[in-house]
Amino acid sequence: MPEPLQSIVIVGGDECAPAVAACIANSLRGTSAKITLLDDMSGHSGVASTLPQSTDFYKLLGFNERSLVTGTGATFKMGAEHSGWLRNNRRFIQSFGEHGTPIRLLPFHQYVLKHQLADDAKNFDDYSLASAAILKGRFAYPSDDPNSLLSTIRYGLQVDTQRFADAMLKYAVAADVKHIGSSAISASVQADSGFIAAVTLADGTAIEGDFYIDCSGERALLIGDALSVGYQNWSAFLPCDRRVRISINDVQDLSPTTRIVTKRDGWSRRMQLIDRADFEFFYNGAICSDEDAAQQLTQDVGTSASLPEHRQIRAGRRESFWRGNCVAIGRSAGDIESLEVSAMSRAHGAVIRLMSLWPHINCDPVIASEYNRLTLLDYDHARDFVSLFYTLSDRDDSDFWKHCQSLQTSATLQYRLSLFRSRGRLSWDADEIFSKDNWVSALLGLNCLPRACDPLVDVADPELVSQFMDEVRQAVRAAVDDMPRHDAFLKDLHGPAPR
Amino acid sequence: MRDQNLQDIVIVGGGTAGWMTAAMLSQVLDGQMGRIRLIESDQIGTVGVGEATIPTIQAFNKKLGIDEAEFMRATNATFKLGIEFVNWGRMGDAYLHPFGPYGKDINGVAFHHYWRRSLELGMDTPIGAYSLANVAAKRDRFRHPSSESQSILSTYAYAYHFDASQYASYLRQYAERRGVNRTEGKIVDVTLRPDDGFIESVQLDGGRKVRGDLFIDCSGFRGLLIEEALETGYEDWSHWLPCDRAVAVPSENVVDPSPYTRATAGDAGWQWRIPLQHRMGNGHVYCSSHLSDDEATATALAHLEGDAIAEPRVLRFTTGQRKQMWNRNCIAIGLSGGFLEPLESTSIWLIQAAIALLLQRFPDRNFDAADIEDYNRGMRRRFEEVRDFLILHYKATQRSDTDFWKDCANMSIPDSLQRRIEMFGKSGHVIFHPAELFIETNWLAIYLGQHILPETCDPRVHCAGDDFIRQRLPQMQAVVAAAADEMPSHASAIEQFCRAKAPHA
């Protein structure tokens, strides 16, 4: 029987590194494995949001989410508001909640479609408590009681990545992770096995382990530099390769949502934390200069902003994520513009998957190939979800949007679209990151109407259906008014002495 | 769009597949989607697939709103907690594939990893001792599971053994009450539309023509519409699943029915034993290039526990699937769509899955290609999953007493299955997709029951420590044993709940 791994080295740099360390340490608590994190903790400033799935991650860690929220100044979000993807400047909500309930086994959206196709504009958002809460700035925790409408909502967090990383580091250190506050600068590979042999710090110290996690971010020190695993470039699908961020000291608008607005040369998002708001603008560097981008962003913000901070986005993913004794998590594994496809949640999902496939010292390639197969699906699903927005957008009023019109659509997304365009049906697999309702919200929000709705819609008595739909809408309206305001909820959570 | 809705749905063939389809369509369409007609001929016998089912059948019956006790009485049904496999991995082996998990996750790590570690610690309790379904089945006990998630009685599911012809009759009454028109007659010709090759009508002996918008082919192996009329083509899987015949013979019950199916491997195939209230279903699935019909029949008869109550009947089949289950305006459901031997009681499930998918991709008269493609893709996935699961039973054998088993052990298998077996053997990790029929417990039962023991356990097992395992596992085993002992016997559960009125009718 092969021996268990004894020494795990996490090469940091990416904002997910401390969380990865914390999770591994917690999962291996009680064993003799030694875990080392190399991270100077300098490059983590920024803002990120999580998907509802990240709750599983906190649970696995035994992490108290409430103290995470209060300790890092995070806010809740129940989805995102989109505007400007279409020429008609239509707005829609991409909420984490459910919309209505199935009627006679048919998905609720089919009945909405029936009305929309008959030019009776029923709005999908009206049937979702999470969407209503976003519009009214309300928040409550979901309920376990299936009879309560509160059981239909889900939420993620908007977090300051530096504070989040600090909290994770604290947790990791308490779980016996050895933290070395400097970065690795190179790695060596064993000639015969192709395994990583050691990593070297700036001062020349070599750190050896028998398993390495490459969380070095876009440098990809191990998976790229040392192991030369190829990178699949997705610029044919996704247009943005630059991002600029500014922060302002705005605490006025505490809606539980991320606001996404398209602009002439890309799109921007606003994420509200407890003590500031961050604006990010995603654009294409060949079409729009950094200065231009910063200007387009600050224009809207109006108030004094922090210095703009730029970064590159290398749209794509590794050909494989686990090679030999090295697994890449975070931007070393792949990078996708952050249109509601949370890189943080993807990293959380990756480390949960890694723990469920945790290897022995021989790092059997069969296990690595299963990890790679599943992780690849995650990235491809996320790519398709972002690509959907560009595929369905009809804007062509600038060089950027003209470029978007020429982007490709993957075969998997084409398949999904052609099925939806037939009768509003969704090709969807149970292990996808985005729920069926996420897809339907985006498809309907981007005005992708099928030729017809499901013919079985006609089986139910139309009057009873209309009546039921009205009841759902009214129940949503009533329930949202019973939810606390998001700012009040946060204030309560933080306790009597606000920060 | 309403004017494009189907007006005439024609189901061809009235066996289990035909009447299950008719019953469900009559329920879901509720008289709002045109007429449903089922054509069958009393002159053509039905194969009566199934007899043994898996727990998913409950969702089907529930959707129809069927009363469980009434249905069980009408079909001479018994309860089923799993399938026992005898002589598969090695001669003399017996293990049960239970309808409920082994033990419980500990700290997010699946129980079987702890069990694997316990073997190294010198403990030798078989994994089945940690599954209540397994222990209750072997002690001939049954009670309905509890819906209380904290109770150990919530850790199993159950299915039925029933008389498939009686089930078809029961569903026929159900469907006819809901307006399904049964037309007696034998189909002698099929007319295709000249422009697009869709089926326009079928002609009955006597000259009558029946038109339809959608035709559902439940005609059995021959595939009267899907193959004889539309020449869809068939994908042959007999290089992986070489059995191609079965001989079926019912016998008198001489003991109380047990709450599990038994599948006993023979020289070149396997024998089933399915206990019903009024008789025992027996049969022998075999490979004709290794065993003659006479030999196979003799073996089947020699193993009967009671007297035979009908002549043995030989069936021939080719394992595989129709290249497209849905071709133009014709959907093949049941044996016309494909055949996989009933080793894991999946025949009725495959019918059920086809009906469910049809309802999710229900057409109108435009018959959109995207819907049809997605249906075919979905059914292919389901067939291939069951195929792989069945192949595992043949591949994972150490038997070398006959050429048949030697060939099985040496055959090359689909990559999809190879990957699963290697993964489990190396790491103990079970690959399965959450949307699949067979999940962790199912794969585990066969792997472990047929001697695929992982080289290692999940390293996180060591977090708990060996002393924990030494203490905890015997406790879990005792809880399971005590719960099984408190259940009534299977015979008394049937007596109380669903004794058929005339058990020997």
Side-chain angles (χ1 to χ4, degrees):
Chain A
M1 180 181 259
E3 292 296 312
L5 293 170
Q6 287 303 336
S7 163
I8 295 104
V9 178
I10 297 150
V11 176
D14 195 284
E15 63 204 28
C16 72
V20 168
C23 187
I24 295 175
N26 187 57
S27 296
L28 300 181
R29 223 184 262 266
T31 69
S32 53
K34 300 265 178 297
I35 299 158
T36 308
L37 170 66
L38 313 177
D39 198 317
D40 63 11
M41 298 300 286
S42 68
H44 301 322
S45 74
V47 65
S49 67
T50 64
L51 297 170
Q53 288 90 325
S54 279
T55 316
D56 294 344
F57 178 79
Y58 310 132
K59 267 193 200 140
L60 187 72
L61 255 75
F63 213 97
N64 181 329
E65 189 193 74
R66 185 192 152 146
S67 62
L68 186 69
V69 171
T70 55
T72 65
T75 59
F76 297 99
K77 68 179 279 188
M78 303 175 88
E81 288 169 275
H82 288 270
S83 59
W85 290 98
L86 301 176
R87 279 183 225 162
N88 65 11
N89 202 26
R90 174 196 196 127
R91 305 169 76 89
F92 69 94
I93 294 172
Q94 167 79 58
S95 83
F96 296 144
E98 294 161 26
H99 297 67
T101 54
I103 304 173
R104 295 188 66 102
L105 298 184
L106 280 191
F108 187 81
H109 77 266
Q110 289 289 353
Y111 297 89
V112 176
L113 274 176
K114 183 186 176 181
H115 287 275
Q116 289 190 349
L117 289 165
D119 282 334
D120 168 11
K122 287 207 190 300
N123 188 345
F124 195 47
D125 292 337
D126 288 348
Y127 305 95
S128 157
L129 181 56
S131 302
I134 286 173
L135 288 172
K136 290 205 157 186
R138 309 288 177 132
F139 181 80
Y141 283 128
S143 160
D144 290 334
D145 175 4
N147 294 315
S148 162
L149 260 185
L150 286 173
S151 69
T152 65
I153 60 178
R154 309 274 177 276
Y155 67 94
L157 302 178
Q158 306 187 107
V159 302
D160 174 291
T161 43
Q162 181 70 55
R163 291 184 217 140
F164 188 84
D166 289 341
M168 288 294 162
L169 178 66
K170 207 169 138 191
Y171 182 96
V173 169
D176 280 342
V177 170
K178 182 179 175 196
H179 175 223
I180 296 177
S182 64
S183 308
I185 54 158
S186 67
S188 58
V189 180
Q190 293 166 15
D192 50 342
S193 64
F195 278 28
I196 300 283
V199 292
T200 309
L201 304 181
D203 66 4
T205 318
I207 309 282
E208 289 182 11
D210 39 38
F211 196 63
Y212 296 82
I213 318 284
D214 184 348
C215 297
S216 64
E218 64 183 354
R219 283 190 311 159
L221 196 68
L222 308 186
I223 197 87
D225 288 358
L227 298 175
S228 307
V229 174
Y231 196 81
Q232 201 179 86
N233 182 311
W234 280 346
S235 55
F237 302 105
L238 306 173
C240 297
D241 59 7
R242 302 285 297 164
R243 187 226 59 183
V244 56
R245 177 177 71 92
I246 55 171
S247 300
I248 62 165
N249 298 319
D250 179 6
V251 290
Q252 299 304 310
D253 180 7
L254 267 168
S255 308
T257 178
T258 301
R259 292 226 173 89
I260 292 169
V261 182
T262 63
K263 296 179 174 294
R264 191 192 68 203
D265 289 331
W267 58 273
S268 75
R269 68 170 180 175
R270 175 189 188 279
M271 297 227 271
Q272 179 69 59
L273 302 178
I274 197 85
D275 56 355
R276 69 166 206 267
D278 271 26
F279 289 80
E280 291 174 293
F281 181 50
F282 294 79
Y283 57 100
N284 183 303
I287 297 171
C288 175
S289 69
D290 284 357
E291 295 71 37
D292 249 14
Q295 209 208 331
Q296 282 189 46
L297 188 57
T298 42
Q299 228 167 29
D300 294 356
V301 173
T303 50
S304 65
S306 65
L307 277 180
E309 177 225 273
H310 295 268
R311 89 160 174 87
Q312 191 195 359
I313 298 167
R314 272 186 82 201
R317 62 157 168 79
R318 287 287 150 203
E319 302 286 355
S320 58
F321 311 95
W322 180 340
R323 161 98 44 106
N325 64 342
C326 172
V327 176
I329 297 178
R331 287 172 64 207
S332 57
D335 201 3
I336 298 173
E337 54 186 272
S338 328
L339 191 62
E340 292 311 275
V341 290
S342 162
M344 189 176 251
S345 286
R346 204 158 46 245
H348 293 166
V351 68
I352 291 175
R353 179 177 309 128
L354 175 60
M355 293 326 297
S356 77
L357 295 171
W358 193 246
H360 286 76
I361 202 154
N362 58 341
C363 297
D364 201 294
V366 173
I367 301 175
S369 89
E370 178 66 3
Y371 178 90
N372 285 328
R373 188 180 69 88
L374 294 169
T375 308
L376 186 140
L377 286 174
D378 249 14
Y379 275 93
D380 290 3
H381 283 150
R383 175 202 61 204
D384 283 0
F385 195 74
V386 176
S387 168
L388 178 74
F389 287 75
Y390 295 106
T391 301
L392 294 178
S393 167
D394 60 359
R395 283 188 66 166
D396 58 359
D397 52 315
S398 69
D399 288 348
F400 176 81
W401 293 104
K402 284 195 184 92
H403 170 64
C404 293
Q405 292 295 332
S406 71
L407 292 172
Q408 290 173 22
T409 305
S410 72
T412 43
L413 180 57
Q414 286 284 9
Y415 185 88
R416 226 189 271 256
L417 278 169
S418 68
L419 188 69
F420 191 82
R421 281 174 172 145
S422 163
R423 281 197 180 70
R425 286 157 178 164
L426 208 62
S427 159
W428 186 83
D429 245 338
D431 57 353
E432 294 190 19
I433 343 163
F434 297 100
S435 70
K436 287 183 188 177
D437 277 16
N438 286 156
W439 280 97
V440 173
S441 293
L443 285 158
L444 295 184
L446 294 163
N447 204 29
C448 180
L449 279 185
R451 282 188 284 281
C453 61
D454 194 311
L456 295 182
V457 159
D458 289 336
V459 171
D461 180 334
E463 275 186 30
L464 287 179
V465 170
S466 281
Q467 202 181 319
F468 176 73
M469 290 175 77
D470 285 346
E471 281 167 18
V472 171
R473 206 176 51 200
Q474 280 157 19
V476 163
R477 279 190 199 158
V480 76
D481 288 335
D482 287 342
M483 291 168 75
R485 294 193 53 83
H486 184 225
D487 49 7
F489 189 94
L490 283 168
K491 201 181 269 177
D492 275 1
L493 206 66
H494 282 271
R499 341 166 23 103
Chain B
M1 289 300 153
R2 230 189 147 96
D3 53 341
Q4 285 302 311
N5 282 350
L6 300 180
Q7 290 177 356
D8 282 291
I9 299 170
V10 179
I11 300 167
V12 171
T16 321
W19 285 113
M20 282 178 75
T21 306
M24 187 54 86
L25 290 185
S26 71
Q27 208 286 331
V28 173
L29 304 185
D30 204 17
Q32 301 297 307
M33 197 67 46
R35 293 167 290 270
I36 306 171
R37 182 190 299 279
L38 186 147
I39 303 171
E40 68 174 335
S41 166
D42 286 336
Q43 297 165 42
I44 302 173
T46 62
V47 171
V49 297
E51 296 201 325
T53 57
I54 54 177
T56 47
I57 184 77
Q58 289 188 39
F60 187 82
N61 286 351
K62 194 175 166 201
K63 176 65 194 141
L64 293 180
I66 284 176
D67 178 79
E68 186 183 33
E70 179 194 276
F71 138 79
M72 290 186 74
R73 279 195 293 272
T75 60
N76 276 287
T78 63
F79 296 104
K80 172 177 175 183
L81 290 168
I83 305 171
E84 186 181 39
F85 291 93
V86 178
N87 295 340
W88 283 83
R90 295 174 192 149
M91 285 302 282
D93 276 0
Y95 72 91
L96 202 112
H97 169 191
F99 295 152
Y102 303 109
K104 228 175 137 174
D105 288 5
I106 300 170
N107 295 331
V109 178
F111 173 80
H112 68 274
H113 292 287
Y114 296 89
W115 174 82
R116 175 68 186 88
R117 176 68 187 158
S118 79
L119 299 184
E120 275 157 31
L121 301 177
M123 300 162 75
D124 60 359
T125 307
I127 189 135
Y130 301 96
S131 163
L132 181 51
N134 189 319
V135 174
K138 287 304 293 172
R139 295 185 188 184
D140 285 326
R141 298 195 178 251
F142 182 80
R143 61 156 281 180
H144 280 89
S146 162
S147 56
E148 178 54 59
S149 65
Q150 294 305 308
S151 164
I152 186 164
L153 295 172
S154 70
T155 63
Y156 59 95
Y158 67 97
Y160 313 102
H161 305 109
F162 56 61
D163 182 321
S165 330
Q166 287 175 338
Y167 186 54
S169 310
Y170 183 81
L171 294 181
R172 174 181 162 181
Q173 287 172 30
Y174 177 99
E176 287 187 311
R177 275 203 305 275
R178 280 165 183 75
V180 172
N181 178 318
R182 177 185 182 274
T183 300
E184 165 67 35
K186 220 172 144 177
I187 291 169
V188 293
D189 197 23
V190 180
T191 307
L192 306 184
R193 300 201 303 234
D195 50 338
D196 57 10
F198 277 45
I199 298 174
E200 186 173 78
S201 63
V202 293
Q203 191 182 330
L204 308 183
D205 51 357
R208 181 173 168 201
K209 279 198 165 192
V210 178
R211 294 178 45 84
D213 302 314
L214 171 68
F215 288 85
I216 302 180
D217 185 346
C218 301
S219 66
F221 289 126
R222 60 188 291 211
L224 184 72
L225 305 181
I226 195 83
E227 196 57 53
E228 290 179 13
L230 296 180
E231 297 176 343
T232 303
Y234 194 78
E235 194 174 311
D236 185 337
W237 287 341
S238 51
H239 51 295
W240 286 317
L241 293 166
C243 290
D244 56 358
R245 291 196 192 166
V247 52
V249 53
S251 65
E252 298 274 4
N253 270 341
V254 292
V255 290
D256 283 338
S258 42
Y260 56 91
T261 310
R262 182 180 296 149
T264 306
D267 291 343
W270 58 278
Q271 295 179 70
W272 74 75
R273 178 186 185 274
I274 299 173
L276 307 180
Q277 288 190 36
H278 61 317
R279 62 175 165 84
M280 183 70 78
N282 310 280
H284 187 184
V285 173
Y286 57 98
C287 176
S288 64
S289 58
H290 288 265
L291 212 60
S292 72
D293 291 351
D294 288 347
E295 288 170 313
T297 307
T299 306
L301 291 172
H303 284 87
L304 295 185
E305 294 159 57
D307 292 339
I309 50 180
E311 283 301 306
R313 212 155 52 99
V314 174
L315 303 165
R316 291 158 187 241
F317 51 82
T318 306
T319 294
Q321 66 171 352
R322 203 64 62 192
K323 285 183 177 157
Q324 292 167 281
M325 306 281 173
W326 183 340
N327 185 1
R328 285 168 262 194
N329 62 339
C330 173
I331 303 177
I333 296 183
L335 300 175
S336 55
F339 180 84
L340 289 163
E341 58 191 79
L343 185 57
E344 285 284 354
S345 314
T346 47
S347 309
I348 284 181
W349 179 75
L350 286 165
I351 295 170
Q352 197 186 329
I355 297 168
L357 200 52
L358 166 59
L359 289 170
Q360 286 166 29
R361 298 292 174 259
F362 201 78
D364 62 16
R365 282 185 284 168
N366 288 318
F367 286 97
D368 275 50
D371 294 317
I372 295 175
E373 185 187 354
D374 198 57
Y375 178 92
N376 284 327
R377 183 193 269 217
M379 284 313 295
R380 168 169 290 272
R381 194 164 153 177
R382 286 162 177 78
F383 264 79
E384 287 178 349
E385 183 204 343
V386 175
R387 175 199 72 190
D388 284 2
F389 194 60
L390 297 185
I391 296 171
L392 172 64
H393 296 66
Y394 288 96
K395 177 70 180 173
T397 186
Q398 297 174 3
R399 285 183 59 167
S400 57
D401 52 314
T402 63
D403 289 344
F404 176 83
W405 288 108
K406 281 186 222 162
D407 290 351
C408 288
N410 292 326
M411 73 176 155
S412 68
I413 56 176
D415 291 344
S416 44
L417 177 60
Q418 187 70 42
R419 188 164 57 80
R420 293 192 202 246
I421 296 176
E422 272 182 34
M423 183 71 181
F424 185 73
K426 298 280 190 190
S427 69
H429 183 83
V430 179
I431 296 180
F432 67 96
H433 186 279
E436 285 179 337
L437 173 63
F438 298 114
I439 56 170
E440 190 167 64
T441 303
N442 309 105
W443 290 98
L444 272 178
I446 317 306
Y447 292 145
L448 296 175
Q450 299 191 197
H451 311 290
I452 301 179
L453 195 64
E455 283 172 24
T456 66
C457 57
D458 189 312
R460 292 174 295 167
V461 158
H462 303 295
C463 299
D466 292 341
D467 285 342
F468 172 85
I469 293 173
R470 284 193 191 94
Q471 285 169 13
R472 190 62 209 272
L473 266 57
Q475 286 168 1
M476 291 171 94
Q477 187 193 342
V479 169
V480 168
D485 279 340
E486 278 177 26
M487 291 184 184
S489 74
H490 181 226
S492 68
I494 291 171
E495 194 60 47
Q496 295 282 313
F497 185 69
C498 57
R499 167 56 71 196
K501 291 229 169 60
H504 293 285

